[in-house]
Amino acid sequence: MTEKIKFMLLDSSYEVVGREPIIILWGIDESGRRVVLLDRRFRPYFYVLPKKDASVEHIASRIRALSKPKSPIIDVSIVDRKYFGRPRKVVKVTTVLPEAVREYREEVKKIDGVEEVLEADIRFAMRYLIDKHLYPFRWYEVEVESRGRQAGYRVEEVYNVVSDPQPAPEHKLPDMRILAFDIEVYNRSGSPRPEKDPIIIIAVKNDRGEEHTFVADDGKNDRKVLIEFIDYVREYDPDIIVGYNSNKFDWPYIIDRAHHLGLRVDVTRRVGAEPTTSVHGHVSIPGRLNVDLYDYAEEMHEIKVKTLEEVAEYLGVMKKSERVLIPWWEIPDYWDDPKKRPLLVRYALDDVRSTYGLAEKILPFAIQLSYITGIPLDQVGAMGVGFRLEWYLKRAAYDMGELIPNRVERPGESYRGAIVLEPLKGVHENVAVLDFSSMYPNIMIKYNVGPDTLVRVGESYKPDEVYVAPEVGHKFRKHPPGFFKRVLEELLSVRKKIREEMKKYPPDSPEYRLLDERQKAVKVLANATYGYMGWPAARWYCRECAEAVTAWGRQLIRMAIDYAKKLGLRVIYGDTDSLFVTYDEEKIRKLIEFVEKELGFEIKIDKVYKRVFFTEAKKRYAGLLADGRIDIVGFEAVRGDWCELAKDVQSKIVEIVLKTGDTEKAIEYVQKVIRELKEGKIPVEKLVIWKTLSKKLSEYSVEAAHVVAAKRMLEKGFKVSVGDKIGYVIVKGSGKLSQRAYPYFMVKPNQLDVDYYIDHQIIPAALRILSYFGITERRLKGVAVTRKSLFDFLRPSSR
């Protein structure tokens, strides 16, 4: 007997039972029950693109002859599709088992007349979501047959799908159960090893505010810890599990440690399954969405050191001063001392509270990113921006009858980028920053830019039927609308509708916040399209397209600059899609009107600086906003190759000179920092320099400081891998600087080379600002000169 139910999709997976592939949809129904829907009707397929002079029927016949009993080819049909916008006859090949697609692909490639085998690398569960137009966190109505509760699934009901799910009116998101966790490992020698080093604490916090710690006994027996944790996860039954660096550390460690102890990590909703590391490096937990918040922290480029405590403080979750902080190498000391152990448990709790707090900040955006792209929540964070956009493009291609190109390994090709003006050096007052709204996406729409509309070498065209990019001369057909134009128009239209909908709700309402996260997710995708075309790994790669877009962008900025100058506005700086001009309300209104009516692009005031300071270097400035906030761009304060103290010093100097105009106060501040450094009052953590290992240690021809520090870590038994951030300090001694670099946790404060930090960190960071005002290194070290005010350095036209 069939019935109709409504459910919100959480995730999808598949399994093969008795040589039959079964799609598994994990969801929550409208009454809040966790449900599973099984679809046995879907089969894997791929496309074969014949060469233009080949016989499609002959190729289809050859393909039918390849069928094998293990996974027979059950259908070979000739269909019409488009390949880079050009109509083509292609062969659609359907088989039974998803794993057989790869085998058939390799055999089909060998057939004479085959140009390409396409879409054979799309994973089966994702293929189903694309073809059925299903997206996580959206509601659907579907005809089903109930199978009741089933022993193999930890859900309240299992259904067989009878017909394709259809979109249902959008409900609010159901209450989802969320669990944060964090582990602490006992290890006295180098990197922890699951075969010998026990998990001494697992801390958890859930969406009800409940907190628990599972703690090993005095003998460090962690079998009980793991059993209690596994039981707790199954009992609480979370929909979403969050951790911090949990994909690379916590989950693999828990799994390996449990196996070493003869335990299964049976925390999934599919009985008998365990968490496994999947294709994008994320850990997949069938029926639950595992989210590693570190993936999102990695994209926050303004945070230099991405430890849990640093990110939590930056996002306003928990101040470092208000939590227990224990260096990881001291964890064994705290565990072995009965008096200190309670502090270690509090440290673990603070870690999991920070993790849960980050989830509250990050999950709303991550969920909307999943909702828009169609990528399950556990994967969308682990993917780079290019891959997220690509999944969106795959869905659009399916809807438009476009074949999805294969990924091709190709070397990167350089091309001229955006325009960046030489800044007018000095201090300027009352400066407006004008931003072109979605400049590159709008250029792509206006000029129909894309690999399918590009006029290739040897192709004929009529001059009045193409757009010609300035400087580079690439031509794009005006008609029909290209793939990227249609995708971008849809994205920008969706964002506009979302923002209109937001106006119906107060900014502090749940509806407004949800829609705001959704429009941010759409914006991220739209803005990624230009960069995607120039990304060598892109399926829709097109260097000429990216090159043409930047050429039109440069032309647009120049035309806006010329008109601004005609109006009498002083243009102080320009970068990509922004202009810095003197703030004159009437003249700026005329400039905006010109750009929008004559040039056909939207431009708006992004911010107004009360005062802004430029050096002679591009992309390097600091400004004071009307609300007292300081903007710093391009100085050491946002670079990763200086210690935290250099960043602090420079930020404070900028604040002093922009707010007070008194450079003497800035000098006094620098001298105070130097005194405190000499007196040993600066914490070692502030002096750590972080550098990333970009290749294997054996591949470095020059032994840079971070390479030497990494080798010293190896000698002590630590694991060091490409991509790791190495934190080191410089100690006293003679010889090369690099030979005096040690991992920061191996050094005592009295070993630090204070003079190095004064001469090569603090003074240079300070002088990047203060040298413009005539201040020298001697002055910072205490030699008196004539005192000047910041206002002596204001540009004459801006006083």
Side-chain angles (χ1 to χ4, degrees), residues 199-200 202 214-216 221-229:
I199 298 170
I200 47 177
I202 301 181
F214 308 109
V215 183
N221 177 6
D222 58 344
R223 186 182 180 85
K224 176 175 76 80
V225 172
L226 285 162
I227 291 172
E228 288 176 347
F229 172 68

Side-chain angles (χ1 to χ4, degrees), residues 513-556:
R513 289 196 294 268
L514 181 145
L515 290 168
D516 190 35
E517 297 298 344
R518 188 171 297 170
Q519 68 87 17
K520 285 178 192 170
V522 176
K523 181 182 178 181
V524 165
L525 284 182
N527 287 341
T529 47
Y530 148 73
Y532 172 83
M533 291 188 304
W535 176 42
R539 292 176 187 264
W540 280 274
Y541 174 75
C542 179
R543 182 192 60 80
E544 297 92 340
C545 298
E547 190 171 54
V549 171
T550 57
W552 266 305
R554 291 192 297 272
Q555 182 188 63
L556 184 55

Side-chain angles (χ1 to χ4, degrees), residues 233-402:
V233 173
R234 281 166 49 178
E235 180 188 345
Y236 190 67
D237 193 25
D239 303 299
I240 300 173
I241 301 179
V242 297
Y244 194 81
N245 200 30
S246 52
N247 279 336
K248 291 181 180 173
F249 181 71
D250 299 64
W251 277 122
Y253 202 94
I254 285 172
I255 294 163
D256 289 349
R257 183 65 185 163
H259 290 175
H260 176 73
L261 296 173
L263 299 172
R264 286 180 59 78
V265 186
D266 189 7
V267 294
T268 75
R269 281 181 171 155
R270 183 65 171 108
V271 175
E274 286 189 283
T276 55
T277 299
S278 196
V279 63
H280 285 284
H282 70 283
V283 172
S284 177
I285 304 175
R288 311 190 196 281
L289 297 166
N290 169 54
V291 179
D292 187 344
L293 300 167
Y294 181 77
D295 291 331
Y296 294 92
E298 280 279 82
E299 297 179 23
M300 299 174 191
H301 303 298
E302 61 275 28
I303 308 174
K304 182 173 69 174
V305 181
K306 301 184 195 300
T307 59
L308 175 59
E309 56 267 22
E310 291 286 350
V311 176
E313 180 168 72
Y314 179 83
L315 292 179
V317 169
M318 185 182 288
K319 292 181 180 176
K320 287 190 288 185
S321 58
E322 295 174 354
R323 60 153 296 162
V324 176
L325 290 172
I326 298 174
W328 57 266
W329 62 90
E330 291 183 14
I331 285 174
D333 297 333
Y334 278 77
W335 176 264
D336 290 337
D337 186 337
K339 293 178 182 176
K340 285 184 176 181
R341 193 179 297 175
L343 201 60
L344 180 61
V345 174
R346 276 180 53 203
Y347 165 76
L349 274 171
D350 282 343
D351 270 0
V352 84
R353 287 166 184 158
S354 294
T355 301
Y356 190 86
L358 290 183
E360 290 182 306
K361 299 276 187 181
I362 291 169
L363 277 182
F365 172 74
I367 285 170
Q368 294 308 314
L369 200 57
S370 176
Y371 176 100
I372 293 294
T373 60
I375 303 164
L377 183 66
D378 60 342
Q379 300 173 44
V380 73
M383 286 185 181
V385 174
F387 286 113
R388 291 174 196 160
L389 174 63
E390 196 159 86
W391 272 109
Y392 187 88
L393 295 175
K394 287 176 184 177
R395 287 177 172 270
Y398 178 82
D399 292 343
M400 296 178 197
E402 283 275 353

